[in-house]
């Protein structure tokens, strides 16, 4: 059983920054290709950033150049550094496997609100 706990969200003004944390407990074998997802009210959950076991990254066009995903395998932790935030980034952010077939149960996520 793997549990994923997200933290680091909060309220920031446009142009601000936040750093999100995803801590994984349980089997290390399920800590492979990881991603950050987000879901805004009335919208589908979308993958915004992914990082594979070797450290290669991919980003959605909407966040490219502003967000950076990283990982610390020894700490079983995935990070998302978010800069130049805008109101369209407001959503609940979740971490999970970036591979659909290896996805775990969704956690509670962490709320990010960008507002002036």
């Amino acid at each position: 059983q793997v549990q994923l706990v997200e933290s680091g969200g909060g309220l920031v003004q446009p142009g601000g920054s936040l750093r999100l944390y995803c801590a994984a407990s349980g089997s290390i074998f399920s800590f492979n290709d990881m991603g950050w997802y987000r879901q805004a009210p009335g919208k589908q959950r979308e993958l915004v950033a992914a990082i594979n076991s070797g450290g290669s990254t991919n980003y959605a066009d909407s966040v490219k150049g502003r967000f950076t995903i990283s990982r610390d395998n020894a700490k079983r932790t995935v990070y998302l550094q978010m800069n130049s935030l805008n109101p369209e980034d407001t959503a609940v952010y979740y971490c999970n496997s970036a591979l659909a077939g290896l996805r775990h149960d969704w956690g509670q996520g962490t709320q990010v609100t960008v507002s002036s």
Side-chain angles (χ1 to χ4, degrees):
Q1 182 69 31
V2 174
Q3 293 182 321
L4 301 169
V5 180
E6 302 93 344
S7 62
L11 173 65
V12 297
Q13 293 186 336
S17 298
L18 284 173
R19 186 170 177 83
L20 305 185
Y21 305 79
C22 172
S25 63
S27 177
I28 189 64
F29 302 110
S30 63
F31 192 70
N32 305 116
D33 294 24
M34 298 296 295
W36 281 97
Y37 301 75
R38 69 185 182 187
Q39 186 168 30
K43 298 182 179 179
Q44 289 188 307
R45 183 183 284 116
E46 62 173 341
L47 179 67
V48 298
I51 184 168
N52 69 13
S53 299
S56 296
T57 60
N58 289 101
Y59 301 92
D61 289 341
S62 59
V63 308
K64 192 172 298 182
R66 300 187 297 119
F67 291 10
T68 302
I69 187 172
S70 59
R71 66 192 296 163
D72 186 329
N73 292 334
K75 296 181 178 180
R76 300 186 184 185
T77 302
V78 184
Y79 310 89
L80 186 67
Q81 178 66 46
M82 306 185 296
N83 300 324
S84 302
L85 287 163
N86 58 62
E88 289 69 45
D89 297 315
T90 296
V92 179
Y93 284 72
Y94 305 86
C95 66
N96 215 321
S97 174
L99 304 175
L102 298 177
R103 199 166 294 151
H104 307 288
D105 291 341
W106 297 101
Q108 294 297 311
T110 185
Q111 176 71 49
V112 172
T113 302
V114 186
S115 176
S116 60

